[in-house]
Amino acid sequence: MKIKFTLLSLAAVLSLFATTAFPKPEITLRLGLEPSIDSPQGVGAKEMAKVADELSKGQIAIELYPDQQLGTGPQMIEMVKKGELDIFQGGAGLYSSMEPRLNVFDIPYLFDSVEQAYKVLDSDFGKEMLATLEPYNLKGLSFWENGIRSVTSNVKPITKPEDLAGLKIRVMPANPVHVDLWKGVGAEPEPLPYGEIYGKLKSGELEAQEHPIAPIYTGKFYEVQKYLSLTQHMYGPLIQVMNLEKFNAMPKETQDILLKASYAGAVKMRQFSNENAAKFIQDMKQKGMKINEVDTGLFREKMRPLVEKPYIEKNGDAWLKKINASIEADRKK
């Protein structure tokens, strides 16, 4: 009896310890991703979850669902709107059907560097841009990294704009501006979710795609593409959103923690992408991928007017002027 009593006491102590030292989170949020947990997005998402846990002292838990487990990018945006998913991050172009001015980031060669882009995205103007999604029940938490995009191909290296003619290339879904851009240079664009790119390239149904270096590497596109041409034609941010009603219902302290954690994830993702880009390129070379640089001036002359002119005609130039003013101030330093 004595032993039994001791065991019961130990169980009771352990139970008490579990409830006091390791309290269950008061809030559990689900975050959906298109790429893998090892991708730059996954790295940032893990950092966000870690920071939220630390700042809330274990009261906020963020569960991660990578690899399109919950749906494609457009599907997950709709889920967040309806409150079926808490958080999602995707390319700015995925939100352009709601706020067409976000297509400003689709203007080729808008920024000279990622640092220029960060100054715009992290500014008060960046917060203004995020706030335009609130009428659609989306709270823009922060701008994450997508990076500067370049082209991969199985047909030939891309050295001049004319090499794009006839190329069957994957483009971002839910963003007609990308379709118009690639049609404008003579390519044959096909909108496709991220998770379907590898298979279509492998089967030969597609010949090319375009992404920043980190997603090209972590997506293992070097296994199904022969050439990487460093066109660096477009900087694209990700936008992380949360269901607005759920965010507004939270205490101010909780909101502040989520905003800080979101930004911490964005910074971690940026660091990961930038610090590893050269390493990824070198590793892809060693794996047999042929990599070439291009005269970006030729591509800028051809590609930028295809998006900039119709953008201004449709949306005005107020946002573009603010971005250009920030860039010009940066150049003068």
Side-chain angles (χ1 to χ4, degrees):
M1 289 294 293
K2 185 176 181 180
I3 294 175
K4 185 177 181 182
F5 176 77
T6 303
L7 289 174
L8 287 173
S9 297
L10 178 61
V13 169
L14 289 174
S15 175
L16 178 63
F17 183 75
T19 57
T20 56
F22 302 102
K24 291 183 179 180
E26 289 187 0
I27 300 172
T28 299
L29 302 173
R30 297 194 307 158
L31 191 162
L33 306 169
E34 287 190 285
S36 74
I37 198 66
D38 296 321
S39 69
Q41 282 198 47
V43 169
K46 286 186 286 187
E47 180 70 10
M48 179 183 179
K50 175 187 170 188
V51 172
D53 176 71
E54 291 173 350
L55 292 179
S56 69
K57 295 180 171 57
Q59 296 304 294
I60 299 175
I62 298 179
E63 298 176 348
L64 308 180
Y65 295 84
D67 296 308
Q68 296 189 120
Q69 291 179 37
L70 304 180
T72 64
Q75 288 171 338
M76 284 190 276
I77 289 174
E78 290 303 312
M79 290 171 67
V80 175
K81 283 183 184 179
K82 298 173 183 177
E84 298 168 356
L85 175 65
D86 300 306
I87 304 171
F88 168 74
Q89 64 236 15
L94 291 176
Y95 305 89
S96 62
S97 60
M98 293 173 273
E99 178 46 77
R101 287 177 295 178
L102 288 170
N103 281 132
V104 71
F105 297 113
D106 295 325
I107 296 176
Y109 301 99
L110 181 62
F111 298 105
D112 296 334
S113 65
V114 291
E115 290 75 20
Q116 280 185 354
Y118 300 158
K119 288 179 181 178
V120 172
L121 301 176
D122 298 341
S123 69
D124 288 340
F125 174 51
K127 293 177 182 176
E128 290 177 27
M129 289 190 280
L130 292 175
T132 63
L133 296 175
E134 293 187 8
Y136 303 94
N137 203 28
L138 296 174
K139 169 64 180 179
L141 297 178
S142 65
F143 283 102
W144 284 41
E145 178 80 317
N146 206 354
I148 297 181
R149 308 175 82 88
S150 287
V151 177
T152 68
S153 167
N154 251 342
V155 179
K156 59 184 175 182
I158 307 302
T159 60
K160 55 187 183 299
E162 291 75 19
D163 292 332
L164 296 165
L167 203 63
K168 296 178 182 177
I169 187 169
R170 177 268 182 184
V171 298
M172 188 185 301
N175 188 354
V177 172
H178 278 225
V179 173
D180 292 342
L181 169 63
W182 294 102
K183 282 184 177 179
V185 294
E188 299 178 18
E190 180 177 338
L192 198 69
Y194 180 86
E196 297 180 29
I197 299 173
Y198 185 96
K200 294 277 188 175
L201 292 173
K202 185 175 182 179
S203 69
E205 295 175 72
L206 285 176
E207 300 169 323
Q209 66 84 52
E210 45 91 49
H211 262 96
I213 298 300
I216 291 172
Y217 181 80
T218 58
K220 298 185 178 181
F221 296 149
Y222 54 81
E223 294 180 348
V224 289
Q225 295 276 267
K226 294 178 182 177
Y227 307 101
L228 166 58
S229 301
L230 301 175
T231 52
Q232 302 183 74
H233 54 272
M234 188 184 297
Y235 174 84
L238 299 175
I239 297 178
Q240 187 179 75
V241 293
M242 181 174 174
N243 178 270
L244 180 64
E245 289 181 10
K246 188 160 191 173
F247 182 86
N248 286 341
M250 292 176 169
K252 178 68 163 55
E253 182 182 1
T254 302
Q255 293 177 354
D256 289 343
I257 287 173
L258 287 174
L259 290 170
K260 289 176 182 177
S262 176
Y263 184 67
V267 171
K268 186 73 172 182
M269 183 183 181
R270 292 171 182 176
Q271 290 173 343
F272 178 84
S273 296
N274 295 331
E275 291 173 1
N276 287 285
K279 173 180 171 289
F280 291 157
I281 288 175
Q282 186 59 36
D283 196 39
M284 286 190 285
K285 279 183 180 179
Q286 292 176 353
K287 295 180 186 298
M289 198 173 203
K290 297 180 180 178
I291 300 173
N292 66 283
E293 296 188 3
V294 306
D295 181 349
T296 55
L298 294 176
F299 286 83
R300 187 185 192 281
E301 183 179 355
K302 176 70 175 179
M303 299 177 78
R304 180 155 180 159
L306 293 172
V307 178
E308 186 173 37
K309 187 174 183 294
Y311 174 85
I312 293 173
E313 290 173 351
K314 181 178 180 180
N315 304 295
D317 63 356
W319 277 22
L320 185 58
K321 281 182 175 178
K322 287 187 177 183
I323 291 173
N324 286 337
S326 176
I327 292 171
E328 190 58 33
D330 181 69
R331 287 172 179 163
K332 289 179 178 179
K333 289 182 180 180

